[in-house]
């Protein structure tokens, strides 16, 4: 889990300078090798690794507009993912999808820029597994802002009625763009909402990877055994803005600094060391993760963009 967290963070660290290439001196979102919006997942790594450590390639995951940590934890090929984000022809979707639309059928991963949109398809994947008689499960990741979408409420109800082997994971990073959870949600936590739909709801405080692993393990085992859906809300932190270029004027004074002090990677490394892990072993693990990510970016940068004559292939025209 630590290695995957480091890989995920390094992925975002390499995106940062690449994203701003060609977009200066006046910020122009359409320019550079990574055109369009960019939503980074720094700080949210525990949610992805704690859940996905239990999953097999056949289990389906639907993720959000902030998908990199989840894709990496689910085992999406790093080179194909980097190529997709750079809009290259050898990317997951031939460079057509970009960073919010990563699809990898080899490990049953997908994501969408439309918030809460992955929830229905996750129930579909879960019901397909159930009808086929396998014990595969599906996991839908959403943000806490998406829990106020109609799709959230409709999906939870049907999933419970059908006893679908699905787990809904809410990454509560305290903001939907610039709107704080407090301004948008009346109940204390979204885990409370699970009871209204007839499923267990769990809350994991403090962005703790081991606690996520424990709670997710129980929910996944329950789903695999025919016990039906569960909801898990994880208290996490968004270390960056909503998107790259966000001035973050909505954050209270000093919030950014106090969040940095809670960096989950630093904290997890300290926990591993105090549990007896050797610093040299952790360094080696970090080095391996970073070099795999660097190789993926190198691969993407050296790959060709789609040919103009292919513009109307693999799209609805
Ligand atoms: C259906 C829909 N409505 C609005 C948007 C615009 N939008 C993009 S991200 C976002 C906020 C999402 O907040 P949250 O679910 O908490 O996820 P986070 O960005 O914090 O990861 C909104 C409203 C959208 N993409 N889809
Ligand atoms: Mg949020």
């Amino acid at each position: 889990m630590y290695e995957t967290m480091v890989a995920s963070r390094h992925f975002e660290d390499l995106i940062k300078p690449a994203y701003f290439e060609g977009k200066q001196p006046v910020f122009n979102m359409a320019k550079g090798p990574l055109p369009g919006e960019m939503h980074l997942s720094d700080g949210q790594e525990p949610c992805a690794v704690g859940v996905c450590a239990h999953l097999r390639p056949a289990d389906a995951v639907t993720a959000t507009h902030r998908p990199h940590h989840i894709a990496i934890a689910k085992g999406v090929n790093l080179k194909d993912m980097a190529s997709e984000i750079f809009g290259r022809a050898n990317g997951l979707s031939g460079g057509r999808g970009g960073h919010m639309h990563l699809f990898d059928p080899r490990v049953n991963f997908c994501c969408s820029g439309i918030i809460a949109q992955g929830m229905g398809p996750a129930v579909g994947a879960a019901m397909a597994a159930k009808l086929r008689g396998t014990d595969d499960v599906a996991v839908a990741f959403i943000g806490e802002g998406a829990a106020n979408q109609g799709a959230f409420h409709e999906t939870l109800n049907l999933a419970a009625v059908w006893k679908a082997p699905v787990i809904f994971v809410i990454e509560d990073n305290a903001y939907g763009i610039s709107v704080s959870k407090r301004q948008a949600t009346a109940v204390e936590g979204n885990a409370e909402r699970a009871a209204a739909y007839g499923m267990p709801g769990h809350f994991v405080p403090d962005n703790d990877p081991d606690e996520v692993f424990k709670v997710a393990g129980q929910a996944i085992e329950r789903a695999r055994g025919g016990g039906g859906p569960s909801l898990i809300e994880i208290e996490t932190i968004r270390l960056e803005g909503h998107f790259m270029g966000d001035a973050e004027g909505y954050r209270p004074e000093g919030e950014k600094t106090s969040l940095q002090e809670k960096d989950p990677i630093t904290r997890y490394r300290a926990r591993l060391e105090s549990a007896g892990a050797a610093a040299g072993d952790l360094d080696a693990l970090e080095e391996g993760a970073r070099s795999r990510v660097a190789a993926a970016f190198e691969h993407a940068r050296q790959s060709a963009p789609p040919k103009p004559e292919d513009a109307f292939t693999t799209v609805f025209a």
Side-chain angles (χ1 to χ4, degrees):
M1 281 164 49
Y2 181 65
E3 185 176 7
T4 307
M5 284 170 69
V6 171
S8 178
R9 180 65 62 88
H10 198 55
F11 200 93
E12 307 299 50
D13 283 345
L14 293 188
I15 284 193
K16 285 171 198 167
Y19 183 73
F20 284 114
E21 279 171 31
K23 290 189 176 61
Q24 309 289 10
V26 178
F27 181 65
N28 184 341
M29 197 178 275
K31 299 283 187 191
L34 301 168
E37 273 191 16
M38 180 58 68
H39 313 84
L40 299 183
S41 59
D42 304 42
Q44 301 189 194
E45 298 89 353
C47 313
V49 300
V51 174
C52 294
H54 295 284
L55 300 179
R56 318 184 281 231
D59 297 320
V61 164
T62 66
T64 69
H65 55 288
R66 196 178 303 289
H68 301 162
H69 57 321
I70 307 168
I72 292 170
K74 185 62 172 67
V76 171
N77 180 283
L78 285 176
K79 288 185 174 167
D80 299 344
M81 177 175 158
S83 278
E84 182 59 34
I85 295 171
F86 276 81
R88 307 302 163 134
N90 58 1
L92 291 169
S93 300
R96 309 295 204 279
H99 110 98
M100 284 187 269
H101 302 102
L102 305 169
F103 294 83
D104 192 348
R106 295 166 296 187
V107 292
N108 279 308
F109 177 87
C110 68
C111 56
S112 167
I114 309 298
I115 66 165
Q117 160 60 31
M119 299 185 74
V123 175
M127 289 308 290
K130 188 170 174 166
L131 292 171
R132 287 188 189 118
T134 73
D135 67 349
D136 298 333
V137 300
V139 180
F141 284 86
I142 61 164
E144 91 297 333
N148 292 323
Q149 270 275 11
F152 173 87
H153 301 276
E154 296 173 36
T155 308
L156 257 65
N157 182 57
L158 261 193
V161 168
W162 288 342
K163 274 199 147 195
V166 61
I167 296 92
F168 302 105
V169 177
I170 303 176
E171 297 182 84
D172 175 12
N173 61 10
Y175 290 101
I177 308 184
S178 56
V179 180
S180 74
K181 185 181 179 185
R182 288 284 142 264
Q183 288 172 285
T185 305
V187 289
E188 187 58 31
N190 283 302
E192 285 177 33
R193 287 173 155 169
Y197 299 99
M199 69 178 74
H202 308 277
F203 175 64
V204 179
D206 203 24
N207 213 17
D208 183 336
D210 291 334
E211 198 56 26
V212 174
F213 180 79
K214 192 177 110 199
V215 170
Q218 288 160 358
I220 291 167
E221 198 181 314
R222 181 173 185 272
R224 290 202 200 283
S230 302
L231 174 75
I232 302 169
E233 182 162 71
I234 305 163
E235 182 186 36
T236 190
I237 54 175
R238 196 187 74 201
L239 289 172
E240 299 291 336
H242 170 70
F243 55 83
M244 291 200 69
D246 179 358
E248 300 179 69
Y250 49 85
R251 287 199 193 267
E253 181 104 24
E255 182 175 86
K256 226 24 210 282
T257 320
S258 65
L259 290 182
Q260 296 291 350
E261 284 160 11
K262 291 199 222 160
D263 188 319
I265 295 189
T266 318
R267 288 172 67 190
Y268 203 36
R269 180 171 168 132
R271 179 184 291 176
L272 293 172
E273 285 193 28
S274 68
D281 290 347
L282 294 173
D283 290 344
L285 207 116
E286 287 179 13
E287 188 44 45
R290 290 197 187 105
S291 64
R292 281 191 296 120
V293 171
F297 272 67
E298 199 48 39
H299 166 85
R301 282 185 184 274
Q302 283 169 6
S303 297
K307 295 194 183 89
E309 58 268 33
D310 291 340
F312 293 108
T313 60
T314 72
V315 294
F316 291 101

